């Protein structure tokens, strides 16, 4: 299982310079089923839905879209940009209509991409992967995060339904200036991290900035805590909805209890369950909070806000030399809808925004490219911290998948259960029993 999860081991051997570049045009495989000369497709308007709304994310899309339209003036892009939550809410309805967008970013999980595949709403891209050389650009370990069987049951194998642009890892952002004021260094162990939270609280600081109104942010925080107590292979089995694991284990109880203890100790700001995700990370960017558990997609915005005071590190383990474990994988893949009348143009667009030149643009705009990572040049500072962390955790097989991947309903189940746990409306054992019921019901019936 770890071979699948760790995949995303795109930064070591898989990310040597030039590894993501497609074969030269003359040597590209050809396919009679698809057309790859976008300039010969006539006048086309592509409607693209994405969730790249924040500073660095928006900047890379704007640059790449402008470059694509300059190269292919016959293809006009109608871009619709929505927040992650808005996209998830509206995409399901849009795909069931008669005129869905041509290209969409679809969350990898079963509740989104898996459900869309099962409903026949996304187009398999295997012919395009062969024609454009995507299997040479990305290792199979990355492509598997966008693979489903045609019936949507098996996640991680089967047809290819999308391509991601970015790599992701959830870790600890920290305010280096505040740590210095507290007489602290970045923690080398989990115990040192909790000591730092204690000292921050005693000094009147917000130890850990957090907003959980949207429910899913707690998934990342819990996943980080869970990774200190639960073996990575068990997390992988749970997260991919496979048989053979259980939420009702002493290790998961310990993780849930530790998260509740952070509430009791006042490590989160008051009213965190009613504060939005964006409000929380923006508050951190304004100097409110010593630590923030979040994903690398916030790098560009937080670096703009905090500059050299921003730091990033992987969640520390029990000892300084403990093997790294962190939640992560790939960003939302770009997919082609089954009803799009322009699949060749749509695939050409996806190819363009994920090629080697695109990876350079992603780097320049403060993002973390999922391919060619080691080939990029980045200055000392927060961005290099992120690139180094991603390379370390992927190189040592330490990435574990997002927990909401597990079942078609698990994102809602886990999000609501975590809110109840954090609000002290459910005890740790009750919280885990809720997760176990959803997980077991699905895993036992999914073949």
């Amino acid at each position: 299982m770890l071979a699948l999860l760790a995949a995303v081991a795109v930064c070591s051997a898989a990310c040597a310079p030039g590894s993501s570049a497609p074969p030269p045009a003359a040597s590209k495989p050809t396919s009679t089923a698809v057309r790859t000369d976008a300039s010969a497709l006539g006048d086309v308007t592509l409607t693209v839905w994405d969730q790249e709304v924040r500073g660095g994310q928006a900047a890379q899309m704007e640059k790449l879209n402008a470059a694509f339209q300059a190269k292919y003036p016959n293809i006009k892009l109608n871009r619709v940009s929505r927040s992650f939550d808005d996209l998830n809410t509206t995409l399901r309805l849009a795909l069931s209509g008669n005129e869905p967008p041509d290209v969409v970013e679809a969350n990898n999980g079963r509740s989104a991409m898996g459900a869309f595949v099962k409903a026949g709403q996304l187009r398999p891209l295997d012919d395009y992967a062969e024609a454009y050389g995507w299997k040479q650009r990305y290792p199979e370990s990355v492509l598997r995060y966008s693979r489903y069987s045609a019936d949507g049951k098996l996640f991680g194998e089967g047809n290819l339904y999308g391509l991601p642009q970015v790599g992701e890892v959830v870790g600890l952002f920290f305010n280096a200036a505040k740590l210095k004021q507290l007489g602290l260094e970045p923690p080398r162990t989990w115990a040192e991290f909790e000591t730092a939270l204690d000292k921050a609280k005693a000094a009147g600081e917000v130890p850990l900035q957090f907003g959980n109104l949207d429910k899913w942010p707690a998934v990342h925080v819990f996943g980080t805590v869970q990774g200190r107590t639960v073996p990575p292979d068990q997390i992988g089995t749970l997260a991919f909805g496979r048989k053979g694991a259980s939420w009702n284990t002493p290790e998961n109880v310990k993780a849930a209890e530790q998260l509740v203890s952070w509430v009791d100790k006042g490590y989160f700001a008051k009213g965190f369950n009613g504060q939005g995700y964006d409000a929380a990370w923006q508050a951190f960017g304004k100097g409110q909070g010593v630590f923030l558990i979040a994903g690398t997609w916030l790098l560009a915005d937080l670096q703009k806000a905090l500059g050299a005071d921003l730091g990033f590190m992987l969640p520390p383990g029990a000892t300084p030399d403990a093997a790294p474990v962190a939640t992560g994988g790939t960003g939302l893949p770009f997919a082609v809808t089954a009803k799009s009348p322009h699949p060749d143009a749509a695939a050409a667009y996806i190819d363009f925004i994920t090629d080697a030149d695109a990876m350079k643009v992603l780097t320049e705009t403060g993002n973390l490219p999922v391919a060619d990572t080691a080939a990029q040049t980045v200055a000392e500072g927060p961005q290099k911290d992120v690139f180094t962390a991603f390379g370390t955790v992927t190189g040592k097989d330490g990435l574990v998948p997002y927990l909401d991947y597990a079942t078609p309903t698990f994102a809602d189940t886990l999000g609501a259960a975590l809110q109840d746990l954090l609000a002290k409306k459910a005890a740790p054992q009750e919280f885990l029993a809720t997760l176990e019921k959803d997980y077991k019901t699905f895993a036992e019936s999914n073949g």
Side-chain angles (χ1 to χ4, degrees):
M1 175 59 66
L2 256 212
L4 163 66
L5 309 178
V8 203
V10 291
C11 231
S12 45
C15 283
S19 65
S20 74
S27 63
K28 278 185 180 179
T30 59
S31 171
T32 57
V34 303
R35 294 181 294 171
T36 58
D37 183 359
S39 62
L41 296 177
D43 293 335
V44 173
T45 296
L46 281 181
T47 297
V48 178
W49 281 21
D50 67 62
Q51 57 105 44
E52 311 300 312
V53 297
R54 300 186 183 95
Q57 296 170 305
Q60 62 94 359
M61 289 304 299
E62 290 164 3
K63 285 190 175 185
L64 291 174
N65 285 352
F68 179 82
Q69 290 186 126
K71 184 173 182 179
Y72 302 112
N74 58 306
I75 301 178
K76 178 183 177 182
L77 297 178
N78 174 28
R79 182 189 178 206
V80 178
S81 185
R82 303 175 184 272
S83 71
F84 174 82
D85 290 311
D86 285 346
L87 184 66
N88 277 347
T89 300
T90 57
L91 190 53
R92 192 176 308 276
L93 181 61
L95 291 184
S96 64
N98 292 324
E99 296 183 4
D102 299 283
V103 177
V104 299
E105 268 190 293
N107 192 306
N108 316 55
R110 294 180 185 276
S111 62
M113 180 175 277
F116 303 151
V117 168
K118 183 178 181 180
Q121 294 168 338
L122 297 182
R123 181 186 181 95
L125 300 178
D126 301 272
D127 286 347
Y128 293 106
E130 179 181 351
Y132 282 109
W134 293 345
K135 293 179 182 178
Q136 289 73 48
R137 182 177 304 173
Y138 291 157
E140 177 58 27
S141 56
V142 171
L143 296 179
R144 291 187 76 168
Y145 275 78
S146 299
R147 288 197 186 279
Y148 276 92
S149 58
D151 58 9
K153 283 190 173 185
L154 296 180
F155 184 13
E157 57 186 84
N159 297 325
L160 181 69
Y161 287 96
L163 275 190
Q165 287 183 303
V166 298
E168 296 178 350
V169 60
V170 175
L172 306 182
F173 284 102
F174 59 89
N175 188 316
K178 287 188 177 291
L179 280 183
K180 186 175 182 180
Q181 290 169 6
L182 294 168
L184 297 171
E185 297 288 335
R188 298 171 303 159
T189 66
W190 194 246
E192 287 184 6
F193 173 54
E194 289 207 286
T195 296
L197 296 177
D198 272 330
K199 289 191 174 183
K201 175 64 177 177
E205 296 280 0
V206 175
L208 192 56
Q209 187 58 252
F210 180 44
N212 195 42
L213 178 64
D214 308 280
K215 297 183 181 180
W216 60 264
V219 176
H220 297 168
V221 178
F222 176 72
T224 298
V225 176
Q226 183 193 39
R228 302 322 99 200
T229 62
V230 180
D233 61 335
Q234 291 184 27
I235 296 175
T237 301
L238 290 169
F240 275 97
R242 307 281 201 236
K243 295 179 183 179
S246 174
W247 282 99
N248 292 322
T249 66
E251 294 84 3
N252 277 310
V253 171
K254 183 177 179 180
E257 289 175 342
Q258 184 167 53
L259 189 60
V260 172
S261 78
W262 288 3
V263 178
D264 295 337
K265 294 174 182 178
Y267 290 166
F268 303 127
K270 291 183 179 179
F272 61 87
N273 253 349
Q275 177 175 235
Y277 173 74
D278 287 334
W281 70 256
Q282 288 165 2
F284 180 79
K286 294 174 182 176
Q288 300 171 30
V290 180
F291 292 97
L292 172 73
I293 294 178
T296 46
W297 53 85
L298 290 179
L299 170 65
D301 296 278
L302 291 178
Q303 186 170 8
K304 183 178 180 180
L306 290 173
D309 286 340
L310 179 68
F312 181 85
M313 61 181 290
L314 294 172
T319 63
D321 59 352
V325 178
T327 301
T330 76
L332 271 61
F334 284 81
V336 178
T337 60
K339 291 182 181 178
S340 170
H342 311 296
D344 292 327
Y349 173 74
I350 292 175
D351 178 70
F352 187 90
I353 64 172
T354 60
D355 68 10
D357 289 335
M359 296 301 108
K360 293 178 182 177
V361 171
L362 286 162
T363 302
E364 292 165 359
T365 50
N367 298 282
L368 175 63
V370 73
D372 259 2
T373 317
Q376 309 307 320
T377 300
V378 293
E380 294 289 337
Q383 189 176 21
K384 190 166 185 179
D385 291 346
V386 164
F387 277 52
T388 300
F390 187 69
T392 298
V393 73
T394 55
K396 294 186 177 181
D397 291 355
L399 273 185
V400 293
Y402 296 103
L403 297 172
D404 58 300
Y405 285 174
T407 81
T409 56
F410 210 72
D412 291 336
T413 298
L414 180 57
L418 279 167
Q419 275 210 332
D420 286 346
L421 177 71
L422 291 166
K424 310 293 283 291
K425 293 180 180 179
Q429 290 82 357
E430 293 172 311
F431 160 72
L432 294 171
T434 298
L435 305 188
E436 182 79 352
K437 181 179 180 180
D438 191 330
Y439 162 71
K440 285 286 189 181
T441 298
F442 176 79
E444 296 298 329
S445 65
N446 197 45

